[in-house]
Amino acid sequence: MAVGPPEDDVDDSGLTVGPPKEYAAGIPGVVQSLRHAGRQMGVRRSLLTLLAVNQKKGFDCPGCAWPEGDERHAAEFCENGAKAIAEEATLRRVTRDFFARHPVGELAGRSDHWLGQQGRLTEPMYLEEGAGHYRPVSWDEAYGIIAGELAALDSPDEASFYTSGRTSNEAAFVYQLFVRALGTNNLPDCSNLCHESSGSALVETIGIGKGSVSLTDLHEADLVLVVGQNPGTNHPRMLSALERAKRAGARIVAVNPLPEAGLLRFRNPQRPSGVAGSGTALADEFAQIRLGGDLALFRALNRLLLEAEEAAPGTVLDRAFVEEHTHGFADFAADVRATDWDEVLEATGLEREQIERLHRMVLGSERIVVCWAMGLTQHKHSVPTIREVVNFLLLRGNIGRRGAGLCPVRGHSNVQGDRTMGIYEKPSPEFLDALEKEFGFAPPRHHGYDVVDTIRAMRDGRVKVFFAMGGNFVRATPDSRVTEEALRRTSLTVQVSTKLNRSHTVTGRRALILPTLGRTEADVRAGGPQFVTVEDSMSAVHASTGTLPPASPRLRSEVAIVCGLAERALPGPPTGPGLPWAEFAGDYDLIRDRIARVVPGFEDFNRRVRAPGGFVLPHGPRDARQFPTATGRAHFTVNPLEVLRVPEGRLILQTVRSHDQYNTTVYGLDDRYRGIRNGRRVVFVHPEDLVGLGFADADRVDLVGEYGDGVTRVAPGFRVVAYPTARGCCAAYFPETNVLVPLDSTADVSNTPTSKSVVVRLVRHPESGTPWAG
Ligand SMILES: Nc1nc2c(c(=O)[nH]1)N[C@H]1C(S)=C(S)[C@@H](COP(=O)(O)OP(=O)(O)OC[C@H]3O[C@@H](n4cnc5c(=O)[nH]c(N)nc54)[C@H](O)[C@@H]3O)O[C@H]1N2
Ligand SMILES: Nc1nc2c(c(=O)[nH]1)N[C@H]1C(S)=C(S)[C@@H](COP(=O)(O)OP(=O)(O)OC[C@H]3O[C@@H](n4cnc5c(=O)[nH]c(N)nc54)[C@H](O)[C@@H]3O)O[C@H]1N2
Ligand SMILES: [Mo]
């Protein structure tokens, strides 16, 4: 049964398009958050829940990984954080009756929005081979089914264990321990789709794959570049930090193909003037770059810096820093000096004058922070691009200094912590040595599969059991049709989830749904009430304590699920390691004691994490300009310029988030800041490109992929929206457009799908367009 992904919301009769907004948040943001929360949770529960978010004694917002400052507001959440919480704390429930009413085949035809709206999962469910419906199953029986499938494999490498970034440190640690005790490093995670390019580039150049700034650095910067990121929608609390920097005199530059609302103006709802006034104009300069043009831009800026230094020696570069702390300057400088301006202008689509203006801003700034997200990480040349950003900051000593540094802005609230805990298909030998010493078994040393390689392995029959700790693998990954086929070839798929999603409907021969507690819920175990810990985008680790009663008495925590399964699936001594799984599941302090002995920076974990606000992990470059690379220095690198060229009549498509979604969870059908209401199948194209291609605003088109591998990839039925994006580029929402992202089109080194550069052609849809409804 090969049902394709749902082509939902093709009926766009209610779709309306208005002008894009120029500012973000303010009163409309607050009203929206309360309205959404009230619909899902009721008003009283909404207020009580929202007041506990991101407080020192409450739970960590499951929305994004942006850090909390030291002074917290009574309402330390944002419109989109409130939506994320309402999704989890909803009063709606998916029960066994629901599954009895809806055959899996029917659920597979439902939209992401509809599936998410059904509410919280309430008990373990099992889809037997050939069955049309999921049926209830006990936890014991479920563990037995998984253990049986794992035991039947020829090798543990025939199983793959995915993690999405909401999983706590404690759950992640026992999960990787279980998987490695089983004998594989097949630990793909959402990071492979997300900031892997940042990690790859940073480890190579500065020796650690994490950002080098704190919130204070951002406040104290005098120039902040926000590159390839849409904070108004995806990290709204970051706007408060930018506003604060701005008030202290910083200048802000937005580098983006789209004029995103939050980057232009911001009304801070936490201050009276932000509620009433016209807000703060954030960006001093908007560089409307072509998709994939950032490598060229940073090369050009670096060339200009070198030339300025030659013209006035000793005044531009931080020579002392370069000499004392870096390696490879001469090769880098020789290469960058040869940067060709014509290529820069072609790649970036910018005017030389604007690049020179940016250069003068750089010269006038002592402390520079570069922030970035998916606009930099999801291209073929993402790793070289981020390396070039590192070159840029190294030239003037902007790493390891107050008010300056690298700021990759993470997505999922604990994606950074999961990696710290060992969720990684390519673990370091030091980490494995520490595990071996602590637990007395020999973990596998060969590398495992990442996300793309897991899909290939399932497609080719090399992975037969797929286990997901959260997330929505089938919708988050590229080439939806290929991925769906691949999953259907496995013998067992297991999803540990809070909410229903498409990954429950596209299954292996047999399938299990294991429902789990969310961040907001109280977690009471044998050893009493438990808390978990998370690490934010700036390496701060803190506790998160759920307060709401669980959505159902039959839910188990992620820690309990892993430990219960491990007990069942791993042989005990003398053949197995005999780890104290039941004790771990009863008292998370015991897990933290082990983390403290295995993971550097977590010494005395249990005591330090109980301090209000937690603690910050060490970071050599940030703290002491110590670079844990092979040479002990930061590395300048040579990154050849690449120009994204597409044939006549084609556009480069980027796949982005609307204001009303959390990755694959679609909250609603509006994208308020971009002026879209009641529909998601829209494609944003520059008005002059439309004319050139022979289309008009509101035409209905199919998006046809042009990867050149002979495979036809079509996303049908999109409305064209004339929009001020960069020329030659277009944008549409994922997950609907994941059908167009080829599995083999990935970033060099990091293997991240190129979700921000898909070559497409617009083809008139058989049913032609009618003017906008409103
Ligand atoms: N409400 C909400 N919050 C979220 C999420 C969510 O879905 N909803 N997702 C979370 C996750 S997992 C993540 S990773 C983050 C994602 O946060 P973002 O990276 O902000 O998310 P995207 O929507 O992918 O937006 C990419 C931005 O980069 C720009 N861009 C695209 N290509 C290029 C390019 O080549 N160059 C430049 N300079 N810019 C480019 C786009 O125009 C867009 O503004 O947000 C996290 N927070
Ligand atoms: N085309 C395209 N594709 C992309 C991207 C893009 O920009 N363009 N972005 C990529 C990025 S940056 C990311 S991070 C991935 C995201 O990929 P994923 O992390 O796999 O996807 P999510 O949509 O965040 O997962 C949502 C599901 O997680 C489950 N869930 C929520 N909270 C919890 C919890 O506390 N515990 C457990 N066990 N489950 C929970 C719910 O069942 C929910 O349905 O998508 C990637 N895919
Ligand atoms: Mo992400």
Side-chain angles (χ1 to χ4, degrees):
M1 180 187 59
V3 195
E7 276 142 23
D8 42 279
D9 309 326
V10 177
D11 170 19
D12 59 6
S13 48
L15 175 69
T16 70
V17 177
K21 297 277 178 295
E22 290 196 342
Y23 62 87
I27 280 286
V30 177
V31 172
Q32 286 292 331
S33 56
L34 289 176
R35 187 182 291 156
H36 191 89
R39 246 190 336 251
Q40 296 268 350
M41 305 193 268
V43 172
R44 205 181 99 83
R45 187 173 157 100
S46 300
L47 286 173
L48 289 176
T49 311
L50 294 178
L51 288 175
V53 187
N54 292 341
Q55 300 303 320
K56 288 181 179 163
K57 290 199 170 131
F59 57 86
D60 182 67
C61 178
C64 73
W66 189 254
E68 288 83 42
D70 276 340
E71 324 124 38
R72 314 247 164 127
H73 300 272
E76 187 65 49
F77 62 92
C78 65
E79 172 189 354
N80 278 343
K83 288 184 201 161
I85 290 158
E87 280 291 308
E88 184 176 301
T90 179
L91 294 169
R92 300 177 190 157
R93 297 289 177 267
V94 173
T95 59
R96 58 175 69 184
D97 298 342
F98 172 90
F99 286 107
R101 278 199 309 277
H102 299 283
V104 183
E106 180 219 307
L107 295 176
R110 296 289 190 167
S111 71
D112 300 302
H113 182 224
W114 188 91
L115 292 169
Q117 290 293 303
Q118 303 312 304
R120 287 288 298 275
L121 296 159
T122 49
E123 62 181 317
M125 301 298 299
Y126 177 38
L127 186 68
E128 274 174 80
E129 186 170 357
H133 292 258
Y134 275 96
R135 68 156 171 87
V137 66
S138 71
W139 280 101
D140 264 1
E141 200 186 331
Y143 295 153
I145 293 165
I146 304 167
E149 286 283 355
L150 291 175
L153 298 176
D154 289 332
S155 145
D157 289 331
E158 290 181 350
S160 192
F161 297 84
Y162 178 69
T163 312
S164 166
R166 278 192 191 167
T167 292
S168 66
N169 290 332
E170 290 73 9
F173 187 79
V174 289
Y175 186 48
Q176 62 81 32
L177 182 65
F178 160 60
V179 171
R180 296 200 163 106
L182 192 70
T184 181
N185 282 313
N186 287 346
L187 283 161
D189 73 342
C190 70
S191 208
N192 301 149
L193 306 166
C194 184
H195 265 293
E196 199 67 60
S197 303
S198 308
S200 303
L202 295 181
V203 167
E204 189 186 331
T205 53
I206 66 162
I208 173 168
K210 299 181 183 183
S212 74
V213 298
S214 67
L215 209 46
T216 320
D217 290 321
L218 203 58
H219 296 154
E220 294 179 356
D222 57 12
L223 180 65
V224 182
L225 279 76
V226 183
V227 189
Q229 198 200 340
N230 178 20
T233 285
N234 298 311
H235 304 92
R237 286 177 304 118
M238 177 177 169
L239 298 183
S240 306
L242 291 176
E243 189 196 32
R244 184 158 161 188
K246 178 96 192 179
R247 284 177 186 269
R251 285 173 300 173
I252 294 175
V253 174
V255 183
N256 203 304
L258 295 171
E260 306 283 30
L263 292 172
L264 304 184
R265 293 190 84 76
F266 173 50
R267 291 182 183 169
N268 190 339
Q270 275 148 3
R271 286 202 333 220
S273 64
V275 171
S278 62
T280 311
L282 280 183
D284 297 86
E285 189 76 47
F286 169 42
Q288 184 159 37
I289 199 162
R290 283 185 72 227
L291 288 167
D294 308 85
L295 172 55
L297 173 64
F298 280 96
R299 276 189 66 111
L301 290 173
N302 289 341
R303 174 180 164 167
L304 290 170
L305 285 174
L306 292 175
E307 288 171 353
E309 173 73 12
E310 271 153 36
T315 64
V316 175
L317 305 189
D318 184 341
R319 290 217 164 253
F321 175 81
V322 170
E323 257 151 52
E324 198 181 331
H325 295 290
T326 71
H327 170 89
F329 174 77
D331 289 346
F332 151 77
D335 180 71
V336 145
R337 265 194 211 98
T339 303
D340 180 68
W341 271 107
D342 290 338
E343 280 190 344
V344 167
L345 301 185
E346 185 190 357
T348 59
L350 301 175
E351 305 277 338
R352 180 161 175 169
E353 207 178 284
Q354 185 175 33
I355 299 177
E356 282 172 351
R357 209 158 55 233
L358 294 177
H359 166 64
R360 287 192 294 276
M361 291 172 88
V362 173
L363 284 182
S365 306
E366 285 299 309
R367 300 174 301 280
I368 305 181
V369 173
V370 181
C371 305
W372 73 90
M374 296 306 99
L376 284 203
T377 65
Q378 298 175 333
H379 290 288
K380 180 152 194 311
H381 54 286
S382 282
V383 175
T385 301
I386 297 163
R387 284 190 206 130
E388 198 62 30
V389 171
V390 174
N391 289 339
F392 170 73
L393 290 177
L394 289 178
L395 281 177
R396 283 167 60 86
N398 275 306
I399 295 182
R401 158 144 49 96
R402 271 186 89 132
L406 294 152
C407 184
V409 182
R410 305 275 161 184
H412 268 300
S413 51
N414 197 40
V415 61
Q416 186 161 317
D418 290 345
R419 186 54 66 84
T420 308
M421 291 297 116
I423 302 292
Y424 193 23
E425 74 282 357
K426 301 195 237 351
S428 71
E430 295 77 30
F431 180 82
L432 296 177
D433 292 344
L435 269 191
E436 181 158 2
K437 181 155 171 264
E438 177 65 23
F439 295 103
F441 70 92
R445 296 274 162 171
H446 58 284
H447 290 173
Y449 297 133
D450 63 8
V451 164
V452 166
D453 286 338
T454 291
I455 296 169
R456 292 179 176 137
M458 292 190 292
R459 177 195 63 194
D460 301 341
R462 286 176 284 122
V463 157
K464 295 172 182 146
V465 173
F466 176 77
F467 187 105
M469 182 57 74
N472 183 4
F473 190 86
V474 80
R475 291 302 268 166
T477 48
D479 236 346
S480 310
R481 280 169 199 280
V482 176
T483 302
E484 297 206 350
E485 282 300 309
L487 278 157
R488 291 187 198 280
R489 283 205 62 189
T490 62
S491 48
L492 177 69
T493 46
V494 184
Q495 302 285 337
V496 178
S497 314
T498 52
K499 306 272 306 254
L500 192 64
N501 64 46
R502 185 162 174 84
S503 295
H504 304 120
T505 72
V506 178
T507 69
R509 236 173 331 114
R510 305 199 277 164
L512 283 161
I513 301 175
L514 306 181
T516 189
L517 293 176
R519 199 61 76 66
T520 54
E521 290 162 320
D523 183 1
V524 182
R525 308 285 314 155
Q530 304 294 319
F531 66 89
V532 294
T533 64
V534 294
E535 175 185 341
D536 67 29
S537 216
M538 295 179 179
S539 306
V541 178
H542 62 88
S544 172
T545 314
T547 47
L548 296 177
S552 145
R554 302 202 58 202
L555 303 185
R556 289 197 176 168
S557 71
E558 292 182 335
V559 170
I561 293 171
V562 172
C563 293
L565 174 60
E567 224 172 3
R568 188 69 181 259
L570 293 175
T575 44
L579 302 175
W581 299 109
E583 279 109 88
F584 286 162
D587 182 355
Y588 303 173
D589 275 358
L590 301 179
I591 303 174
R592 283 186 285 269
D593 284 342
R594 302 303 190 110
I595 294 172
R597 289 205 288 266
V598 170
V599 188
F602 284 82
E603 300 76 18
D604 206 7
F605 189 10
N606 269 310
R607 187 186 58 79
R608 286 197 296 153
V609 83
R610 282 176 163 85
F615 60 94
V616 178
L617 291 171
H619 185 291
R622 180 197 64 205
D623 302 337
R625 292 190 156 176
Q626 281 169 356
F627 296 91
T629 57
T631 59
R633 289 160 172 253
H635 289 191
F636 278 101
T637 50
V638 171
N639 306 297
L641 198 155
E642 292 199 32
V643 187
L644 272 183
R645 292 193 176 94
V646 300
E648 263 302 293
R650 275 58 172 177
L651 297 169
I652 312 172
L653 168 75
Q654 62 154 326
T655 60
V656 289
R657 294 152 171 82
S658 82
H659 194 64
D660 246 359
Q661 75 183 78
Y662 194 92
N663 299 337
T664 69
T665 301
V666 176
Y667 302 138
L669 304 180
D670 298 345
D671 190 7
R672 190 155 48 89
Y673 294 159
R674 298 191 186 112
I676 303 299
R677 296 216 177 254
N678 266 314
R680 289 180 49 86
R681 293 186 87 85
V682 290
V683 55
F684 301 95
V685 188
H686 193 282
E688 286 169 38
D689 284 333
L690 276 184
V691 174
L693 295 170
F695 290 96
D697 190 40
D699 276 354
R700 197 197 291 260
V701 297
D702 297 341
L703 305 179
V704 181
E706 294 249 321
Y707 185 57
D709 58 354
V711 178
T712 311
R713 297 181 179 83
V714 185
F718 279 67
R719 289 297 191 122
V720 171
V721 176
Y723 200 84
T725 181
R727 291 297 304 273
C729 303
C730 64
Y733 307 127
F734 89 99
E736 291 85 345
T737 45
N738 257 334
V739 282
L740 298 171
V741 185
L743 184 63
D744 292 332
S745 176
T746 60
D748 298 337
V749 187
S750 65
N751 210 24
T752 295
T754 58
S755 314
K756 296 290 189 277
S757 42
V758 185
V759 180
V760 295
R761 175 160 60 89
L762 308 186
V763 175
R764 204 166 292 283
H765 189 73
E767 284 162 61
S768 65
T770 47
W772 300 118

